[in-house]
Amino acid sequence: MPTPETSAPDVLVLGGGLSGLVTAWRAAQRGLRTAVADPAPGGGAARVAAGMLAAVTELHYGEETLLALNLASARRYPDFVAELEEASGRLTAHRACGALAVAFDADDRARLRDVHALQQRCGLEAEWLTGRECRRLEPMLAPSVRAGVRVDGDHQVDPRRLAAALLAACTRAGVVLHEAAAARLTVAGDRAAGAVLTDGREIRAGQTVLATGSWSGELDGVPPGVLPPVRPVKGQVLRLRVPPAYAPFLSRTVRATVRGTPVYLVPREDGELVVGATSEELGWDTTVTAGGVYELLRDARALVPGVTELPLAESGAGLRPVSPDNAPVLGPTALPGLHVATGHGRNGVLLTPVTGDVMAEVLTTGRLPEDARPFAPDRFPSTLQEHTR
Ligand code: GLY
């Protein structure tokens, strides 16, 4: 039998990754008694992610609606990290370094031209450069780099530090942490009423937020058709170290498609160089494979030959929670009292500030802010229909 907790929070957030923690922190700031359930809060995809804030350089055809939310979140980043660092007493390694997307062969160049044209149509700041101009900015680039697009507004943050800062800010704001996963949702009448955790405790809450990343598509006890349609997409990532004698190795994020495969290198102030990422539809598999590591190093070396000299510090794999339209799923579900903050796909780190603001608004007023309406769970008709059938 589950053991009920005596003092019920107003809000129970299931999942202590970036989306769950920022939701909890913002909710607590608005005076809601808030709890988070996660066996390892501050973990999740943030342990693996590179932390590019790449609204412009990661723009894809057909994702113009998502672009508006990405840009809104990018604009909030400087104030967000300043407030979070003050509230938590921790640094996030936010770096306003800009980014450079480059091309190798004629096909890559043609692809980059298309992306640049799309960026311009969307009114974004992105400057076309020759190969020589790219190497003047980043002398470690290979001589074979033919062209590039310079985007000074795409920055980066260290997701591990960001998660640690959010966790500290949550604790300081009075958020209660339960170090256990959700085993099943509690439903009372026609409302979500909290959850039973894997340690047997039952946490009752007025509102429950499902923010368990790739696992948000499955939770026992939820009526059919309510859960968001997210799936895991695996990403393998490497962490190299730039010895002080080699610095500055790269001064900004460098990315490319190398013979059709995307790769990026994200240089941190502290000498870490993140190389990512594969994109693999392999379900829940998080194995680091020889093939994945080989491809990342092969393409990183083609881009910046000097990477082969750097110590390899770490390899890892994580799961991006991806929705059918690659955009996040935010706000109230068809089950009263149950909200979701998931489906952030490639943009979880970038979307952290706006996710916190949107979810706090939903939890305090019951309404989705205007700019978040396109990301409501009911945009997936099959989800809604199944529930109301
Ligand atoms: N945004 C980078 C990635 O998902 O790999």
Side-chain angles (χ1 to χ4, degrees), residues 52 58 264 277 320 345-347:
M52 282 180 297
E58 280 212 334
Y264 48 77
R320 306 172 183 90
R346 294 185 310 272
N347 300 301

Side-chain angles (χ1 to χ4, degrees), residues 13 67 107 278 336 367:
V13 181
L67 171 67
D107 287 347
T278 64
R367 284 187 305 277

